[in-house]
Every structure is written in structure tokens, then in C-alpha cells.
Amino acid sequence: MAIITYREALNQALREEMRRDPRVFLMGEEVGLYQGAYKVSQGLLEEFGPKRVIDTPISEAGFTGVGIGAAMVGLRPIVEMMTFNFALVAIDQIVNQAAKILYMSGGQYNVPMVIRGPGGPAHQLAAQHSQSMESYFYHVPGLKIVRPGTPKDAKGLLKSAIRDDDPVIFIESELLYGTKGEVPDGDYTIPLGVGDIKREGRDVTIVAYSTMLLLALQAAEELEKEGISVEVVDPRTLRPLDTELILESVKKTNRAVVMESGAGFGGIGTVIGEIISEQAFDYLDAPVERVTGANAPTPYAKNLERAKIPSKERLIAAVKKVLAV
Amino acid sequence: MQKLERKELVDLLRQMLLMRRFEEKCAEMYAMGKIGGFLHLYIGQEAVAAGAISVLRPDDYVIASYREHGHALARGCDPRKIMAELFGRADGLCKGKGGSMHLFDKTHNFLGGHAIVAGQIPIGTGAAFASQYEGKDQVTLCFFGDAAVNQGVFHEALNLAALWHLPIVYICENNRYGMGTAVERATPVRELYRRAEAYGMPGETVDGMDVLAVRECVGSAVERARRERIPSLIEAKTYRFRGHSMADPGTYRTKEEIEREKQRDPLVLFRDYLTAEAMIKESDWKVLEKEIRVTVEEAVRYADASAEPPVEWLCTDVYVSER
Ligand SMILES: Cc1ncc(C[n+]2csc(CCOP(=O)(O)OP(=O)(O)O)c2C)c(N)n1
Ligand SMILES: [Mg+2]
């Protein structure tokens, strides 16, 4: 076990997979010479050269399409979005082509490609640079959505995503790149669609991922001191979603709070809340609570941004609400 | 173009100086933590916005990218309200909700700063479409960087503008880099203005360090757009003296290159020109410097004094019907 950053973990996954399989290549804006806008691809150009670490012009729709075509005929592209907000420029390619080609071709052509980069709010980046983009994609059949919250998960899941035969949307976070954690030595993978209990508890289940996972773990720690035992479930991938793990936890604790950084309307909390009420209704001692971002674009002003993004305090209040304390 | 009177020439110089000192102050405020998020300075490119926007009428439109402080200032937006916006305060141009990359000012027909590269190009084209539709003789100036021409929407927008004879002038500020990617690493056709040929519209290149040359070139294009409804693409060759944003490793260009480019500092060139033409004296320059210093200090004071936007504003301005 080594302690490394989330950024280094991703870098290792890229490096190891590129060493393992010559069909894997990385393409995107500033991934090479600049060493990555967020330094995730640091050193890869030096090791693999410009044939496999490809700097592109700012043409998200164009190079995403290039990735799709290359994947259809046998390569395994990793396309970096400098931030996921820019994937909207390529959303036609992702939703109308990548997600549907396998289906439309009657199973003849698959698209083994990873589209990755940071998403979600960071520090005062304002409306066009702070979106939690997963909700744009988990609605689409044909796409897989990964949202890792720790270095270990980031590395293991990215390796699985690269080896996966479907298009995978892999959303990292600017705020997590510098965070550290233990990562197993050697080659390991974490399967897509398998969640993880990040902390065991008895009284209430919090479902949270990515940056919100860190807040959930802090909240759990604080609540522990007040005698409240919190179980934190990290789904890690939103599609496929490990509903079994979530349901199991809720059946044990009988209470659930779902947290996400994006706007609440149509958020993942509605989906998880619905799954719980459909399949574990009789186990619930309180309605499922949701802690979400406000239904507004992300404002620039510091104080408004703070109000927009869910906080630990709001999470603690929600936990107390379902416990009626 | 008509020859400018002394007063107008000095106004141009004043504007460029304001942009320069304003941006320097922004860098300082960013270092102090008063400005957050991404901050892209306009230092080195002042002659483009100043020269181009100087030919407009108040009812014309301007739209730009996230590197738009200079354009907003040239358009006459209140420096105090810009600074307050950068501080994220209630009295900012956009109530603190937009920040550095999203300055909008309806009172000046300033259609905003846009932070999705090339995102503003079709939007500006839409403004020109509206002028056309309503039979007005307004013109839109649409600014973007050299890297934006590689986006699909650049092509789509210019095609439509040419097809529909829209009154718009596209100004590509070629500062030679999109972040760390040099133009020649992004496109094989380095004369970006030549892209105009594909749409059958006039394409021209101009020295973006020479404010009067920019004014002349954009002036003719604006007249063409206004009178004959012919859109144009202008490539202004310029250079940014600072990093792409405040976080820039600077690994992609040499110090020597930057120093060489600084020999053509547009502000110094214009000041020296006016001095040589006996339009200004050393003492006039000192007076200008002082005046601008006061303006910039005043902007900071105003921004500092402005309150944070109230939290009740978080969900306002989302829908018109819920305002
Ligand atoms: C669609 C999109 N992709 C990537 C980015 C990240 N990004 C912001 S500015 C920039 C470079 C743009 O360069 P250029 O158009 O030359 O303008 P300049 O910054 O030089 O003014 C990049 C890659 C973005 N904002 N939008
Ligand atoms: Mg540029």
C-alpha cells in the first residue's frame, strides 16, 4: 500500500493501461506538452510519445467523434475533457453516436472508449464551469457513468473503464485531485457497478459519491460523537448502479439520506429515492431525505456559491430529520 | 476612415491605459484573494478592443470570450461595477453571479463574456440576425481567440452569416496561443483570416498591436456590414504578455519570446506615436496616469464597500416567471 494523491492514482492507471495495451491512447486539449490542464497526464507524453498522447485543437465534438470512430474499428481511446462542462459541445457525439452505435448496428460495432475529466463545482468557477454533469449522461441507455471519490477507487475504476467494451463517462473532480489515500500495490481493478460501504453504521444510511462523499464521512464522524451511527454508502458508479448494496444498507438502518452536489430537480437522489421507496418501503421509518445543490446555476460570488452547494451542516440536519432528533 | 482629432486620439490612449492598469490591479487583487475563480488578463492585447470598439455606435452589439475585461471597459462599462463583479459583490455588473468570465451589461449592449470556447460566436451571429430581421442598421462585433476557430460552431456561424448577409464583424484575436497550444499546433492553415474564403466573405489581417490600424481595418468592415450587409472575418495579430490565466506553468513559450513581443507593447507604441506627432507631451501622460490611477483605486474602493449578494438571490434570475 502506498499513500498517493487522486491525481497520481489516475496517472498510474493511464500509464499502466497504456503500457499493457498498445491500442490504448490518450487524446484531448493540453494533455501532452502542457502536461494536462490538471496534471493528470503528467509525464505521459515523455513516455509514450505524440502518437499516443495527442494534443488536439479545441474541437470537442470533432475529437470525440474521432475517438468513437477509432473505437469502432478496434482502438481503445481515452478522450480527456479539460472539464466535463465542455462535453456539452460534444454531447451529440456522445449521446447520439457513442451511446447508440452498438444498439443501432444490432450488436455489430461496439465503442470501447473512455471519456474522462473533472466535473462538479470547484472554487468560484461560476455557472459554465461548475456543473455536476453526471445527470446529463445517466439518463442515456448505452453509457456507463463512473464517479470515483478516493484515489484507490479512481485508479481501480479507471483501469476497468479502459478495459470495458462500452463507452464510459468517467467524471473526476478538481477538488479531489490533491486528496490523498491508500492505494494497493500492483495491478488491480474495481468492477463497474459495484458500490462500497465507506463506513459502517446502524442508525442511518447516507448515499454520497465524489466530493460529497468526503463531506458525508466528516458528517458521520461528527454525528458519531453525538451517539448517531451513520453508514456511508458510496455507489462509485451511477450506471450501472449498485442498488442491492443501497437497499441492503437501508434495510439495516431503516433511514436514508441521499446527497449530491448538482441541482436537485431530476438529480440522482430522485432516482435512488424512488428505488428505495419501491423496493424497501416497508423497511423505512422515515421518508428518504435528499441533500442537493440549489436549483440555480452556480453563482460566482463566494457566499452564494456556498449557499448553492450542499454543506456538511445541511447533511447533518437531514440526518437528524430522518432520525427525528 | 476620418482622421481623428487630438481629443479622440487621447481618448483611445486613455482607454488602453485604463485597461492596462485595471488588469494589473486585478492581478494584485487576485493575489490577495479578493478575486477568485479563473482570471484571464487582457494585458498586451489592448489595442484590439480599443481600436475595434471605438468605431461603434452605442446601439451596436459587442460579444466576447472570458478574456473580456478590456472589451467591457472599451464599451464604456463602469469600472467600479466590473471590479465589484470580480469581487463577487451585489453591486457588480451581474450582481456577483457572473464573475470575471461572464461580464454582461445590457445598458451598453454588451452581450457578455462567454467561457465555452467559441460559444459566443453563434450567439453574436444571432444578434446580427436580429438586427437584420428588424431592419435595423446595427452591427455586431464578435470577438474570440485564435483557438476558437477550430470549434465546429465557428464554421457553422460564419457560413450562416455569409449565407444570410448578416451585419457582423468577426474579430479573431490571434495571440498565438490557446492556453499552451501554439496556433501551428492546432491548425495547418496559420493565416486564420483565410478561413473567410470558405464562406465567400472578406477576410483580412491587421497588426493588433497598432490601435489605429485596428481602428481603420475594423472601421471599413463595420461600414461594409452596416451599409452592404457583408460580414467579415478579421484576424488581429497580437500577443498576451501574461499567462493564459493566473495559473499558467509557462512551459510552452520562452522568456526571450515574451521579451521580444513586449518590444511591441501596444500601449507604449501608441504613446510614443502620439508623442512623436506632438499630440501629447510627457506631462499629459503623467496627468493621464494619475487620472487612471484614481479611477482604478475608486473601482477597488467601490467593490470593497459593496455588500455580498444576499443569499435570497441564489434562486432568483433562474426563470423570468419566478423573478
Ligand atoms: C469548449 C471549451 N473547451 C476548453 C476550454 C478550456 N479553455 C479555456 S480558454 C482555452 C484556450 C482558448 O484560447 P483562445 O481561443 O486562443 O483564446 P485566448 O485565451 O488566447 O484569449 C481553453 C482550452 C473551454 N473554456 N471551453
Ligand atoms: Mg489565443
Side-chain angles (χ1 to χ4, degrees), chain A residues 170-188:
Chain A
F170 190 98
I171 307 182
E172 302 152 13
S173 162
E174 286 98 324
L175 297 180
L176 292 179
Y177 284 140
T179 59
K180 290 188 173 169
E182 281 195 344
V183 169
D185 299 322
D187 185 30
Y188 72 95

Side-chain angles (χ1 to χ4, degrees), chain A residues 123-125 300 302, chain B residues 22-41 69 83 86-87 100 242 245-248 300:
Chain A
H123 292 300
Q124 282 195 280
L125 301 187
Y300 166 74
K302 232 183 228 166
Chain B
F22 189 91
E23 295 291 66
E24 287 166 354
K25 183 57 80 177
C26 285
E28 205 182 309
M29 294 296 111
Y30 183 87
M32 288 169 68
K34 293 198 179 193
I35 296 176
F38 290 140
L39 175 64
H40 309 87
L41 301 178
H69 303 178
M83 194 61 88
L86 305 185
F87 279 31
S100 166
R242 300 292 183 100
S245 65
M246 301 305 282
D248 181 327
V300 170

Side-chain angles (χ1 to χ4, degrees), chain A residues 241-264:
Chain A
L241 181 67
D242 190 349
T243 50
E244 234 154 84
L245 188 73
I246 295 170
L247 289 169
E248 238 171 72
S249 175
V250 173
K251 285 178 184 173
K252 180 173 77 173
T253 64
N254 310 115
R255 295 174 171 85
V257 177
V258 187
M259 188 178 199
E260 66 194 292
S261 59

Side-chain angles (χ1 to χ4, degrees), chain B residues 145-147 173-179 240:
Chain B
D146 46 277
E173 298 191 51
N174 182 355
N175 60 12
R176 302 205 359 226
Y177 296 90
M179 279 181 77
R240 67 169 154 66

Side-chain angles (χ1 to χ4, degrees), chain A residues 30 55 59-60 128 300-301 303, chain B residues 86 96 102 115 150-151 180 185 309:
Chain A
E30 311 292 356
D55 281 327
S59 309
E60 285 83 1
Q128 291 184 329
Y300 166 74
N303 68 319
Chain B
L86 305 185
H102 309 298
N150 299 315
Q151 283 283 32
R185 295 180 60 235

